[in-house]
Amino acid sequence: QVRLVESGGGSVQAGGSLRLSCAASGSIGSAACMGWFRQVQGKEREGVAGIDNYRRKIYADSVKGRFTISKDNADNTMYLEMNTLKPEDTGTYYCAAVCMRYGMSPIEKSHLRYWGQGTQVTVSS
């Protein structure tokens, strides 16, 4: 069983930065597919950034150049560095791990097996 715990959310003004962390417990492996997703009430959960089984980093177009995903395999923690935040980045951010099949995209919500409880990010204008 894998447990994921997000932290680092908060409230910032537009243009600010936040760093989210996702601590994973349980055996997921250094090459595990992991991703960050966000959801606004009433809308679908969308993929923001992910690392696939080949260790490639994948970003949604809306965050390219502003967000950076990374993973520390030594302590099984994934990070999302978010810069130049915009009000439309507001939402609950979830981390997810372990793709259903090897090689799947880590930013498609149906592909991920385990989910954290989420952390709120609010960006004010």
Side-chain angles (χ1 to χ4, degrees), residues 6-12 18 20 36-46 48 63 66-67 80 82 85-95 117-124:
E6 303 96 335
S7 61
S11 298
V12 295
L18 282 173
L20 305 183
W36 285 100
F37 294 75
R38 66 186 177 197
Q39 188 169 22
V40 177
Q41 194 170 5
K43 293 189 176 181
E44 290 285 322
R45 189 171 299 187
E46 62 173 350
V48 173
V63 306
R66 300 187 298 120
F67 291 12
L80 185 67
M82 306 186 294
L85 282 160
K86 304 176 180 180
E88 52 264 43
D89 294 318
T90 294
T92 302
Y93 282 69
Y94 299 89
C95 72
Q117 82 290 348
T119 186
Q120 178 66 31
V121 171
T122 303
V123 185
S124 57

mmCIF file of all heavy atoms in Angstrom, residues 6-12 18 20 36-46 48 63 66-67 80 82 85-95 117-124:
data_model
loop_
_atom_site.group_PDB
_atom_site.id
_atom_site.type_symbol
_atom_site.label_atom_id
_atom_site.label_comp_id
_atom_site.label_asym_id
_atom_site.label_seq_id
_atom_site.Cartn_x
_atom_site.Cartn_y
_atom_site.Cartn_z
ATOM 1 N N GLU A 6 0.414 15.429 0.879
ATOM 2 C CA GLU A 6 0.834 16.704 0.308
ATOM 3 C C GLU A 6 0.984 17.759 1.404
ATOM 4 O O GLU A 6 0.303 17.700 2.434
ATOM 5 C CB GLU A 6 -0.186 17.235 -0.707
ATOM 6 C CG GLU A 6 -0.495 16.311 -1.869
ATOM 7 C CD GLU A 6 -1.737 15.487 -1.630
ATOM 8 O OE1 GLU A 6 -2.090 15.254 -0.445
ATOM 9 O OE2 GLU A 6 -2.362 15.055 -2.611
ATOM 10 N N SER A 7 1.841 18.733 1.153
ATOM 11 C CA SER A 7 1.990 19.882 2.039
ATOM 12 C C SER A 7 2.513 21.056 1.226
ATOM 13 O O SER A 7 2.958 20.875 0.087
ATOM 14 C CB SER A 7 2.936 19.556 3.201
ATOM 15 O OG SER A 7 4.217 19.230 2.717
ATOM 16 N N GLY A 8 2.454 22.238 1.815
ATOM 17 C CA GLY A 8 3.033 23.415 1.178
ATOM 18 C C GLY A 8 2.034 24.362 0.540
ATOM 19 O O GLY A 8 2.414 25.406 0.018
ATOM 20 N N GLY A 9 0.771 24.000 0.575
ATOM 21 C CA GLY A 9 -0.230 24.903 0.004
ATOM 22 C C GLY A 9 -0.379 26.163 0.840
ATOM 23 O O GLY A 9 0.139 26.254 1.954
ATOM 24 N N GLY A 10 -1.089 27.143 0.296
ATOM 25 C CA GLY A 10 -1.306 28.374 1.025
ATOM 26 C C GLY A 10 -1.921 29.428 0.143
ATOM 27 O O GLY A 10 -2.389 29.130 -0.958
ATOM 28 N N SER A 11 -1.905 30.654 0.640
ATOM 29 C CA SER A 11 -2.462 31.785 -0.098
ATOM 30 C C SER A 11 -1.352 32.750 -0.464
ATOM 31 O O SER A 11 -0.554 33.125 0.391
ATOM 32 C CB SER A 11 -3.508 32.499 0.756
ATOM 33 O OG SER A 11 -4.590 31.655 1.058
ATOM 34 N N VAL A 12 -1.322 33.125 -1.733
ATOM 35 C CA VAL A 12 -0.313 34.077 -2.216
ATOM 36 C C VAL A 12 -0.970 35.054 -3.170
ATOM 37 O O VAL A 12 -2.058 34.793 -3.704
ATOM 38 C CB VAL A 12 0.863 33.375 -2.935
ATOM 39 C CG1 VAL A 12 1.639 32.510 -1.984
ATOM 40 C CG2 VAL A 12 0.365 32.579 -4.119
ATOM 41 N N LEU A 18 5.063 29.279 -4.645
ATOM 42 C CA LEU A 18 4.830 28.283 -3.617
ATOM 43 C C LEU A 18 5.559 27.010 -4.014
ATOM 44 O O LEU A 18 5.763 26.755 -5.207
ATOM 45 C CB LEU A 18 3.338 27.958 -3.458
ATOM 46 C CG LEU A 18 2.462 28.938 -2.695
ATOM 47 C CD1 LEU A 18 0.994 28.519 -2.802
ATOM 48 C CD2 LEU A 18 2.874 29.022 -1.229
ATOM 49 N N LEU A 20 5.157 22.953 -3.352
ATOM 50 C CA LEU A 20 4.395 21.844 -2.809
ATOM 51 C C LEU A 20 5.285 20.619 -2.653
ATOM 52 O O LEU A 20 6.192 20.403 -3.456
ATOM 53 C CB LEU A 20 3.212 21.494 -3.709
ATOM 54 C CG LEU A 20 2.245 22.626 -4.051
ATOM 55 C CD1 LEU A 20 1.096 22.078 -4.901
ATOM 56 C CD2 LEU A 20 1.720 23.294 -2.807
ATOM 57 N N TRP A 36 1.252 15.599 -10.407
ATOM 58 C CA TRP A 36 0.488 16.606 -9.675
ATOM 59 C C TRP A 36 -0.755 16.964 -10.487
ATOM 60 O O TRP A 36 -0.671 17.165 -11.698
ATOM 61 C CB TRP A 36 1.325 17.869 -9.469
ATOM 62 C CG TRP A 36 2.385 17.745 -8.424
ATOM 63 C CD1 TRP A 36 3.721 17.512 -8.622
ATOM 64 C CD2 TRP A 36 2.197 17.854 -7.011
ATOM 65 N NE1 TRP A 36 4.357 17.468 -7.416
ATOM 66 C CE2 TRP A 36 3.460 17.670 -6.406
ATOM 67 C CE3 TRP A 36 1.093 18.091 -6.192
ATOM 68 C CZ2 TRP A 36 3.648 17.723 -5.023
ATOM 69 C CZ3 TRP A 36 1.269 18.132 -4.822
ATOM 70 C CH2 TRP A 36 2.530 17.951 -4.251
ATOM 71 N N PHE A 37 -1.859 17.080 -9.774
ATOM 72 C CA PHE A 37 -3.127 17.430 -10.390
ATOM 73 C C PHE A 37 -3.751 18.562 -9.580
ATOM 74 O O PHE A 37 -3.395 18.768 -8.419
ATOM 75 C CB PHE A 37 -4.083 16.231 -10.389
ATOM 76 C CG PHE A 37 -3.615 15.100 -11.246
ATOM 77 C CD1 PHE A 37 -2.574 14.270 -10.847
ATOM 78 C CD2 PHE A 37 -4.203 14.864 -12.478
ATOM 79 C CE1 PHE A 37 -2.122 13.229 -11.655
ATOM 80 C CE2 PHE A 37 -3.770 13.836 -13.289
ATOM 81 C CZ PHE A 37 -2.732 13.015 -12.881
ATOM 82 N N ARG A 38 -4.682 19.265 -10.201
ATOM 83 C CA ARG A 38 -5.405 20.274 -9.439
ATOM 84 C C ARG A 38 -6.881 20.233 -9.831
ATOM 85 O O ARG A 38 -7.241 19.808 -10.924
ATOM 86 C CB ARG A 38 -4.836 21.666 -9.666
ATOM 87 C CG ARG A 38 -5.000 22.220 -11.064
ATOM 88 C CD ARG A 38 -4.280 23.541 -11.207
ATOM 89 N NE ARG A 38 -4.359 24.063 -12.564
ATOM 90 C CZ ARG A 38 -3.554 25.006 -13.028
ATOM 91 N NH1 ARG A 38 -2.610 25.541 -12.244
ATOM 92 N NH2 ARG A 38 -3.692 25.447 -14.264
ATOM 93 N N GLN A 39 -7.681 20.686 -8.893
ATOM 94 C CA GLN A 39 -9.119 20.670 -9.138
ATOM 95 C C GLN A 39 -9.770 21.887 -8.506
ATOM 96 O O GLN A 39 -9.484 22.238 -7.360
ATOM 97 C CB GLN A 39 -9.744 19.396 -8.562
ATOM 98 C CG GLN A 39 -11.197 19.201 -8.926
ATOM 99 C CD GLN A 39 -11.696 17.818 -8.580
ATOM 100 O OE1 GLN A 39 -11.142 17.124 -7.730
ATOM 101 N NE2 GLN A 39 -12.756 17.393 -9.248
ATOM 102 N N VAL A 40 -10.633 22.502 -9.281
ATOM 103 C CA VAL A 40 -11.473 23.589 -8.800
ATOM 104 C C VAL A 40 -12.877 23.025 -8.670
ATOM 105 O O VAL A 40 -13.317 22.227 -9.503
ATOM 106 C CB VAL A 40 -11.439 24.780 -9.780
ATOM 107 C CG1 VAL A 40 -12.377 25.884 -9.308
ATOM 108 C CG2 VAL A 40 -10.028 25.308 -9.933
ATOM 109 N N GLN A 41 -13.574 23.440 -7.636
ATOM 110 C CA GLN A 41 -14.922 22.909 -7.393
ATOM 111 C C GLN A 41 -15.789 23.072 -8.630
ATOM 112 O O GLN A 41 -15.854 24.154 -9.219
ATOM 113 C CB GLN A 41 -15.562 23.614 -6.214
ATOM 114 C CG GLN A 41 -16.800 22.905 -5.689
ATOM 115 C CD GLN A 41 -17.281 23.469 -4.375
ATOM 116 O OE1 GLN A 41 -16.742 24.455 -3.889
ATOM 117 N NE2 GLN A 41 -18.273 22.845 -3.787
ATOM 118 N N GLY A 42 -16.410 21.992 -9.017
ATOM 119 C CA GLY A 42 -17.284 22.026 -10.176
ATOM 120 C C GLY A 42 -16.601 21.728 -11.492
ATOM 121 O O GLY A 42 -17.263 21.675 -12.534
ATOM 122 N N LYS A 43 -15.287 21.534 -11.439
ATOM 123 C CA LYS A 43 -14.549 21.245 -12.670
ATOM 124 C C LYS A 43 -13.810 19.910 -12.529
ATOM 125 O O LYS A 43 -13.612 19.395 -11.431
ATOM 126 C CB LYS A 43 -13.565 22.371 -12.982
ATOM 127 C CG LYS A 43 -14.226 23.686 -13.343
ATOM 128 C CD LYS A 43 -13.203 24.679 -13.854
ATOM 129 C CE LYS A 43 -13.869 25.963 -14.300
ATOM 130 N NZ LYS A 43 -12.888 26.958 -14.821
ATOM 131 N N GLU A 44 -13.409 19.400 -13.677
ATOM 132 C CA GLU A 44 -12.662 18.157 -13.695
ATOM 133 C C GLU A 44 -11.271 18.348 -13.092
ATOM 134 O O GLU A 44 -10.680 19.420 -13.195
ATOM 135 C CB GLU A 44 -12.498 17.684 -15.144
ATOM 136 C CG GLU A 44 -13.768 17.204 -15.815
ATOM 137 C CD GLU A 44 -14.182 15.837 -15.329
ATOM 138 O OE1 GLU A 44 -13.290 15.004 -15.097
ATOM 139 O OE2 GLU A 44 -15.396 15.607 -15.170
ATOM 140 N N ARG A 45 -10.778 17.287 -12.485
ATOM 141 C CA ARG A 45 -9.401 17.308 -12.006
ATOM 142 C C ARG A 45 -8.482 17.261 -13.219
ATOM 143 O O ARG A 45 -8.652 16.415 -14.115
ATOM 144 C CB ARG A 45 -9.155 16.105 -11.094
ATOM 145 C CG ARG A 45 -7.838 16.135 -10.370
ATOM 146 C CD ARG A 45 -7.767 15.035 -9.322
ATOM 147 N NE ARG A 45 -8.797 15.182 -8.296
ATOM 148 C CZ ARG A 45 -8.846 14.423 -7.197
ATOM 149 N NH1 ARG A 45 -7.944 13.485 -6.988
ATOM 150 N NH2 ARG A 45 -9.811 14.596 -6.318
ATOM 151 N N GLU A 46 -7.499 18.160 -13.254
ATOM 152 C CA GLU A 46 -6.619 18.233 -14.409
ATOM 153 C C GLU A 46 -5.169 17.985 -14.022
ATOM 154 O O GLU A 46 -4.730 18.374 -12.928
ATOM 155 C CB GLU A 46 -6.741 19.606 -15.098
ATOM 156 C CG GLU A 46 -6.329 20.778 -14.239
ATOM 157 C CD GLU A 46 -6.289 22.099 -14.998
ATOM 158 O OE1 GLU A 46 -6.403 22.095 -16.238
ATOM 159 O OE2 GLU A 46 -6.118 23.129 -14.333
ATOM 160 N N VAL A 48 -1.300 18.610 -14.018
ATOM 161 C CA VAL A 48 -0.475 19.819 -14.049
ATOM 162 C C VAL A 48 0.949 19.483 -14.475
ATOM 163 O O VAL A 48 1.501 20.104 -15.369
ATOM 164 C CB VAL A 48 -0.479 20.492 -12.661
ATOM 165 C CG1 VAL A 48 0.499 21.649 -12.623
ATOM 166 C CG2 VAL A 48 -1.870 20.959 -12.295
ATOM 167 N N VAL A 63 1.086 25.603 -17.518
ATOM 168 C CA VAL A 63 2.080 25.844 -16.464
ATOM 169 C C VAL A 63 3.519 25.779 -16.974
ATOM 170 O O VAL A 63 4.454 26.019 -16.196
ATOM 171 C CB VAL A 63 1.905 24.858 -15.288
ATOM 172 C CG1 VAL A 63 0.466 24.894 -14.768
ATOM 173 C CG2 VAL A 63 2.304 23.439 -15.678
ATOM 174 N N ARG A 66 6.608 27.982 -15.840
ATOM 175 C CA ARG A 66 6.336 28.558 -14.513
ATOM 176 C C ARG A 66 6.468 27.522 -13.406
ATOM 177 O O ARG A 66 6.885 27.853 -12.296
ATOM 178 C CB ARG A 66 4.930 29.155 -14.485
ATOM 179 C CG ARG A 66 4.687 30.255 -15.496
ATOM 180 C CD ARG A 66 3.325 30.915 -15.278
ATOM 181 N NE ARG A 66 2.210 30.008 -15.436
ATOM 182 C CZ ARG A 66 1.324 29.743 -14.473
ATOM 183 N NH1 ARG A 66 1.437 30.329 -13.287
ATOM 184 N NH2 ARG A 66 0.314 28.915 -14.688
ATOM 185 N N PHE A 67 6.103 26.289 -13.674
ATOM 186 C CA PHE A 67 6.148 25.219 -12.676
ATOM 187 C C PHE A 67 7.291 24.262 -12.992
ATOM 188 O O PHE A 67 7.584 24.008 -14.163
ATOM 189 C CB PHE A 67 4.845 24.428 -12.660
ATOM 190 C CG PHE A 67 3.641 25.164 -12.131
ATOM 191 C CD1 PHE A 67 3.653 26.533 -11.911
ATOM 192 C CD2 PHE A 67 2.476 24.463 -11.841
ATOM 193 C CE1 PHE A 67 2.539 27.196 -11.428
ATOM 194 C CE2 PHE A 67 1.353 25.112 -11.352
ATOM 195 C CZ PHE A 67 1.387 26.491 -11.148
ATOM 196 N N LEU A 80 6.702 20.299 -6.304
ATOM 197 C CA LEU A 80 6.215 21.135 -7.398
ATOM 198 C C LEU A 80 6.538 22.576 -7.025
ATOM 199 O O LEU A 80 5.924 23.145 -6.118
ATOM 200 C CB LEU A 80 4.717 20.953 -7.624
ATOM 201 C CG LEU A 80 4.162 21.702 -8.836
ATOM 202 C CD1 LEU A 80 4.734 21.091 -10.136
ATOM 203 C CD2 LEU A 80 2.635 21.648 -8.879
ATOM 204 N N MET A 82 6.232 26.259 -7.887
ATOM 205 C CA MET A 82 5.291 27.048 -8.676
ATOM 206 C C MET A 82 5.677 28.518 -8.589
ATOM 207 O O MET A 82 5.679 29.102 -7.491
ATOM 208 C CB MET A 82 3.863 26.838 -8.161
ATOM 209 C CG MET A 82 3.442 25.381 -8.103
ATOM 210 S SD MET A 82 1.706 25.157 -7.661
ATOM 211 C CE MET A 82 1.698 25.776 -5.980
ATOM 212 N N LEU A 85 2.741 32.768 -10.084
ATOM 213 C CA LEU A 85 1.396 32.216 -9.923
ATOM 214 C C LEU A 85 0.334 33.187 -10.401
ATOM 215 O O LEU A 85 0.472 34.418 -10.277
ATOM 216 C CB LEU A 85 1.156 31.834 -8.465
ATOM 217 C CG LEU A 85 1.816 30.510 -8.046
ATOM 218 C CD1 LEU A 85 1.952 30.434 -6.544
ATOM 219 C CD2 LEU A 85 1.039 29.326 -8.584
ATOM 220 N N LYS A 86 -0.723 32.616 -10.950
ATOM 221 C CA LYS A 86 -1.854 33.379 -11.471
ATOM 222 C C LYS A 86 -3.125 32.979 -10.711
ATOM 223 O O LYS A 86 -3.192 31.861 -10.177
ATOM 224 C CB LYS A 86 -2.041 33.081 -12.955
ATOM 225 C CG LYS A 86 -0.814 33.328 -13.814
ATOM 226 C CD LYS A 86 -1.068 32.904 -15.252
ATOM 227 C CE LYS A 86 0.149 33.134 -16.122
ATOM 228 N NZ LYS A 86 -0.091 32.712 -17.531
ATOM 229 N N PRO A 87 -4.119 33.845 -10.683
ATOM 230 C CA PRO A 87 -5.380 33.471 -10.026
ATOM 231 C C PRO A 87 -5.971 32.173 -10.565
ATOM 232 O O PRO A 87 -6.574 31.403 -9.801
ATOM 233 C CB PRO A 87 -6.291 34.667 -10.315
ATOM 234 C CG PRO A 87 -5.343 35.813 -10.424
ATOM 235 C CD PRO A 87 -4.124 35.253 -11.100
ATOM 236 N N GLU A 88 -5.772 31.903 -11.839
ATOM 237 C CA GLU A 88 -6.312 30.662 -12.403
ATOM 238 C C GLU A 88 -5.562 29.416 -11.958
ATOM 239 O O GLU A 88 -5.967 28.298 -12.281
ATOM 240 C CB GLU A 88 -6.341 30.731 -13.945
ATOM 241 C CG GLU A 88 -5.044 31.129 -14.590
ATOM 242 C CD GLU A 88 -4.987 32.623 -14.915
ATOM 243 O OE1 GLU A 88 -5.420 33.449 -14.058
ATOM 244 O OE2 GLU A 88 -4.486 32.964 -15.999
ATOM 245 N N ASP A 89 -4.478 29.582 -11.213
ATOM 246 C CA ASP A 89 -3.785 28.420 -10.626
ATOM 247 C C ASP A 89 -4.440 27.986 -9.320
ATOM 248 O O ASP A 89 -4.063 26.965 -8.740
ATOM 249 C CB ASP A 89 -2.316 28.754 -10.352
ATOM 250 C CG ASP A 89 -1.525 29.004 -11.613
ATOM 251 O OD1 ASP A 89 -1.719 28.248 -12.594
ATOM 252 O OD2 ASP A 89 -0.705 29.944 -11.622
ATOM 253 N N THR A 90 -5.401 28.755 -8.858
ATOM 254 C CA THR A 90 -6.104 28.417 -7.624
ATOM 255 C C THR A 90 -6.797 27.069 -7.740
ATOM 256 O O THR A 90 -7.387 26.756 -8.768
ATOM 257 C CB THR A 90 -7.141 29.510 -7.295
ATOM 258 O OG1 THR A 90 -6.449 30.719 -6.991
ATOM 259 C CG2 THR A 90 -8.011 29.117 -6.120
ATOM 260 N N GLY A 91 -6.717 26.282 -6.669
ATOM 261 C CA GLY A 91 -7.383 24.990 -6.650
ATOM 262 C C GLY A 91 -6.810 24.105 -5.562
ATOM 263 O O GLY A 91 -5.879 24.492 -4.860
ATOM 264 N N THR A 92 -7.377 22.927 -5.461
ATOM 265 C CA THR A 92 -6.822 21.911 -4.570
ATOM 266 C C THR A 92 -5.845 21.073 -5.384
ATOM 267 O O THR A 92 -6.211 20.548 -6.436
ATOM 268 C CB THR A 92 -7.929 21.021 -3.986
ATOM 269 O OG1 THR A 92 -8.869 21.834 -3.293
ATOM 270 C CG2 THR A 92 -7.337 20.000 -3.024
ATOM 271 N N TYR A 93 -4.635 20.976 -4.891
ATOM 272 C CA TYR A 93 -3.590 20.246 -5.596
ATOM 273 C C TYR A 93 -3.400 18.874 -4.963
ATOM 274 O O TYR A 93 -3.258 18.756 -3.739
ATOM 275 C CB TYR A 93 -2.284 21.036 -5.558
ATOM 276 C CG TYR A 93 -2.256 22.162 -6.551
ATOM 277 C CD1 TYR A 93 -3.076 23.286 -6.387
ATOM 278 C CD2 TYR A 93 -1.442 22.122 -7.685
ATOM 279 C CE1 TYR A 93 -3.092 24.313 -7.309
ATOM 280 C CE2 TYR A 93 -1.443 23.157 -8.614
ATOM 281 C CZ TYR A 93 -2.270 24.250 -8.415
ATOM 282 O OH TYR A 93 -2.271 25.266 -9.337
ATOM 283 N N TYR A 94 -3.403 17.870 -5.820
ATOM 284 C CA TYR A 94 -3.265 16.486 -5.389
ATOM 285 C C TYR A 94 -2.021 15.873 -6.011
ATOM 286 O O TYR A 94 -1.710 16.142 -7.174
ATOM 287 C CB TYR A 94 -4.458 15.647 -5.846
ATOM 288 C CG TYR A 94 -5.792 16.097 -5.299
ATOM 289 C CD1 TYR A 94 -6.554 17.044 -5.975
ATOM 290 C CD2 TYR A 94 -6.305 15.547 -4.131
ATOM 291 C CE1 TYR A 94 -7.786 17.458 -5.485
ATOM 292 C CE2 TYR A 94 -7.539 15.944 -3.631
ATOM 293 C CZ TYR A 94 -8.263 16.905 -4.314
ATOM 294 O OH TYR A 94 -9.490 17.296 -3.826
ATOM 295 N N CYS A 95 -1.339 15.048 -5.249
ATOM 296 C CA CYS A 95 -0.293 14.245 -5.876
ATOM 297 C C CYS A 95 -0.818 12.821 -6.044
ATOM 298 O O CYS A 95 -1.708 12.374 -5.319
ATOM 299 C CB CYS A 95 1.011 14.266 -5.094
ATOM 300 S SG CYS A 95 1.031 13.361 -3.561
ATOM 301 N N GLN A 117 -4.487 13.454 -0.212
ATOM 302 C CA GLN A 117 -5.737 14.087 0.227
ATOM 303 C C GLN A 117 -5.886 15.501 -0.302
ATOM 304 O O GLN A 117 -6.962 16.085 -0.211
ATOM 305 C CB GLN A 117 -5.818 14.092 1.765
ATOM 306 C CG GLN A 117 -5.051 15.216 2.451
ATOM 307 C CD GLN A 117 -3.547 15.087 2.357
ATOM 308 O OE1 GLN A 117 -3.007 14.054 1.979
ATOM 309 N NE2 GLN A 117 -2.844 16.156 2.717
ATOM 310 N N GLY A 118 -4.810 16.063 -0.835
ATOM 311 C CA GLY A 118 -4.871 17.389 -1.434
ATOM 312 C C GLY A 118 -4.420 18.503 -0.513
ATOM 313 O O GLY A 118 -4.486 18.392 0.713
ATOM 314 N N THR A 119 -3.952 19.575 -1.120
ATOM 315 C CA THR A 119 -3.564 20.781 -0.386
ATOM 316 C C THR A 119 -4.064 21.986 -1.182
ATOM 317 O O THR A 119 -3.974 22.006 -2.406
ATOM 318 C CB THR A 119 -2.045 20.830 -0.154
ATOM 319 O OG1 THR A 119 -1.720 21.953 0.676
ATOM 320 C CG2 THR A 119 -1.256 20.935 -1.461
ATOM 321 N N GLN A 120 -4.596 22.981 -0.472
ATOM 322 C CA GLN A 120 -5.241 24.104 -1.145
ATOM 323 C C GLN A 120 -4.225 25.177 -1.519
ATOM 324 O O GLN A 120 -3.371 25.559 -0.704
ATOM 325 C CB GLN A 120 -6.314 24.713 -0.236
ATOM 326 C CG GLN A 120 -7.031 25.922 -0.825
ATOM 327 C CD GLN A 120 -7.873 25.574 -2.033
ATOM 328 O OE1 GLN A 120 -8.407 24.467 -2.146
ATOM 329 N NE2 GLN A 120 -7.992 26.515 -2.963
ATOM 330 N N VAL A 121 -4.350 25.654 -2.736
ATOM 331 C CA VAL A 121 -3.555 26.788 -3.219
ATOM 332 C C VAL A 121 -4.528 27.872 -3.665
ATOM 333 O O VAL A 121 -5.419 27.619 -4.467
ATOM 334 C CB VAL A 121 -2.651 26.375 -4.397
ATOM 335 C CG1 VAL A 121 -1.999 27.599 -5.026
ATOM 336 C CG2 VAL A 121 -1.597 25.378 -3.939
ATOM 337 N N THR A 122 -4.351 29.064 -3.101
ATOM 338 C CA THR A 122 -5.208 30.190 -3.460
ATOM 339 C C THR A 122 -4.332 31.345 -3.909
ATOM 340 O O THR A 122 -3.444 31.781 -3.179
ATOM 341 C CB THR A 122 -6.077 30.626 -2.269
ATOM 342 O OG1 THR A 122 -6.849 29.513 -1.819
ATOM 343 C CG2 THR A 122 -7.006 31.760 -2.677
ATOM 344 N N VAL A 123 -4.591 31.820 -5.123
ATOM 345 C CA VAL A 123 -3.826 32.936 -5.686
ATOM 346 C C VAL A 123 -4.773 34.101 -5.890
ATOM 347 O O VAL A 123 -5.743 33.992 -6.648
ATOM 348 C CB VAL A 123 -3.153 32.545 -7.008
ATOM 349 C CG1 VAL A 123 -2.263 33.686 -7.499
ATOM 350 C CG2 VAL A 123 -2.332 31.279 -6.847
ATOM 351 N N SER A 124 -4.493 35.195 -5.227
ATOM 352 C CA SER A 124 -5.365 36.367 -5.335
ATOM 353 C C SER A 124 -4.758 37.390 -6.283
ATOM 354 O O SER A 124 -3.536 37.506 -6.406
ATOM 355 C CB SER A 124 -5.582 36.983 -3.960
ATOM 356 O OG SER A 124 -4.351 37.321 -3.377
#
